[in-house]
Amino acid sequence: MTEGARIALAVGAALALGFLVMACVTDQPWAAFRALVTGPLPSMERAADGRLVMHRLVRFGAWLQDATTLTLVGLAIAIPFRARQFSLGADGQLFMGALAAAALSLGLGDVPAAIALPLAFLAAAMAGAAWGLAAGLLKTRFEANEIVTTLMLNVVAVQVYRLIVGRVLNDPTAGFITTPPLPGAATLGPLIARTNVTAMVLVAPAAVAAVVFLLRRTTLGYEIDLAGANPWFAARAGVPVARATVLAFALGGAFAGLAGFHVSNALLKRLPVDLTPGMGLEGIVVALLARGRVAALPLAALGYAYLRVGAQAMERATDVPREVVLVIQALIILFVVSDRLAPLALGSLRRVWMRIGRTA
């Protein structure tokens, strides 16, 4: 069975089990399932004058927006993992990237977009890379466990973010603790009306393509892969294992920083003090769904974001809570990481369905 067929089987098995869970909590499981599956998609209707009008663009935009952020955060997890380093620091790197991009945008003021946007983009990438670099240096210089250090760096990053937004960049005229609106020249405009889908939706797959090229066609990519596959052999072969590990952390951090730029300069266009952490942890889910394949990250991000937005649509249209989708997401991960669970689950469902048919 091919990799794609195996993942499709895992998703199908999880959705089937999810439908059974819906049947246990609502009298209208088909309506809830339909809302989950079709919720993120736009609908076409003909207006009175004969024109075709698209509806539900907000949900469609939310799907693409989430997928863009998740793709970049997934890169922050997947690159260190190629060096066999399990980084959990994407949250902190995202916060630092968003803070750097917003602070620079506010500091530049009314400069042309041709200057403001590239500088904010670069500042976000550099801030995220610096936060990832810190974790890499702690790993290679002091042999600190990367899971612990990246989690602690997340805490530091969130508190630094809240301190600077609340004390330094706070807008006293706003009704809540937030930065002033970012200058228009430093923000990205929407590509689709009534959404916040910006050019970042094109940057994310381009970033994935660049990383694939780096890993497959460059010396640094070879060193990162070899350092992860067999550090002892890599060191014997003259590969600078410590440098490759540190750079893997820094590169991953740079893409998490770009996810922060997407949040600050494309989606929110200002930064509230209560920006919710957790997107970095969802990047781990995306990386797991891609099974370590960088090229598969955009598809994994689109699928995961689809479930997120579908859950919101289902919760609004029916009496099924979105926690049911959390069950489906957990089942998808279990089935993807274990090749035997999905066929076993589908076989069990088939036997249950046959028994129900006999009793009916």
Side-chain angles (χ1 to χ4, degrees):
M1 185 182 295
T2 64
E3 190 75 17
R6 195 176 293 121
I7 293 176
L9 181 65
V11 173
L15 288 174
L17 287 174
F19 177 78
L20 289 181
V21 175
M22 292 179 193
C24 295
V25 299
T26 182
D27 295 331
Q28 297 179 321
W30 284 112
F33 191 77
R34 184 171 60 252
L36 172 66
V37 174
T38 64
L41 297 177
S43 61
M44 299 284 293
E45 294 182 10
R46 190 171 296 277
D49 57 1
R51 294 182 299 109
L52 287 176
V53 181
M54 293 188 69
H55 296 280
R56 300 196 310 199
L57 282 176
V58 173
R59 291 180 188 171
F60 181 68
W63 173 34
L64 296 181
Q65 292 156 207
D66 283 357
T68 300
T69 307
L70 288 168
T71 299
L72 293 170
V73 175
L75 282 172
I77 304 297
I79 296 174
F81 190 69
R82 296 296 288 257
R84 291 298 183 268
Q85 304 300 317
F86 200 70
S87 171
L88 300 179
D91 249 355
Q93 295 152 10
L94 184 151
F95 270 72
M96 288 294 98
L99 182 62
L104 183 66
S105 300
L106 292 170
L108 290 174
D110 295 326
V111 301
I115 298 175
L117 279 174
L119 287 179
F121 190 88
L122 184 61
M126 291 180 64
W131 216 247
L133 184 71
L137 290 174
L138 288 171
K139 175 67 176 182
T140 55
R141 294 288 181 88
F142 304 103
E143 298 184 359
N145 184 283
E146 71 275 11
I147 297 177
V148 176
T149 56
T150 50
L151 283 175
M152 294 301 101
L153 285 171
N154 285 347
V155 176
V156 174
V158 171
Q159 297 308 318
V160 168
Y161 168 90
R162 290 175 177 170
L163 175 66
I164 294 178
V165 171
R167 299 291 181 87
V168 181
L169 301 178
N170 182 33
D171 181 6
T173 63
F176 56 101
I177 303 177
T178 180
T179 67
L182 303 185
T187 60
L188 294 172
L191 298 179
I192 303 175
R194 304 196 302 276
T195 72
N196 283 323
V197 177
T198 65
M200 290 299 292
V201 76
L202 305 176
V203 171
V208 171
V211 172
V212 170
F213 178 83
L214 181 143
L215 292 174
R216 294 180 180 177
R217 302 292 183 181
T218 67
T219 302
L220 176 59
Y222 173 76
E223 291 176 350
I224 290 174
D225 278 342
L226 191 58
N230 194 326
W232 181 86
F233 176 79
R236 290 283 182 172
V239 173
V241 175
R243 188 189 72 174
T245 302
V246 170
L247 288 178
F249 275 101
L251 281 172
F255 289 109
L258 293 182
F261 171 84
H262 181 232
V263 171
S264 61
N265 291 54
L267 299 182
L268 303 179
K269 297 178 174 60
R270 68 193 308 169
L271 283 181
V273 72
D274 58 349
L275 186 66
T276 305
M279 186 63 75
L281 297 178
E282 294 188 336
I284 298 174
V285 177
V286 171
L288 287 174
L289 290 176
R291 293 180 68 102
R293 297 172 57 198
V294 174
L297 283 173
L299 287 177
L302 282 169
Y304 188 79
Y306 195 94
L307 283 177
R308 280 167 53 102
V309 178
Q312 296 170 6
M314 181 186 69
E315 190 173 38
R316 291 171 184 171
T318 67
D319 60 344
V320 178
R322 63 183 305 175
E323 283 75 16
V324 172
V325 178
L326 297 180
V327 174
I328 296 175
Q329 291 170 351
L331 290 172
I332 290 175
I333 297 168
L334 286 174
F335 293 158
V336 167
V337 299
S338 177
D339 294 338
R340 296 183 179 181
L341 276 179
L344 182 63
L346 283 177
S348 300
L349 283 173
R350 181 173 174 271
R351 287 191 293 271
V352 169
W353 188 261
M354 292 176 64
R355 289 180 181 177
I356 293 174
R358 291 194 192 106
T359 55

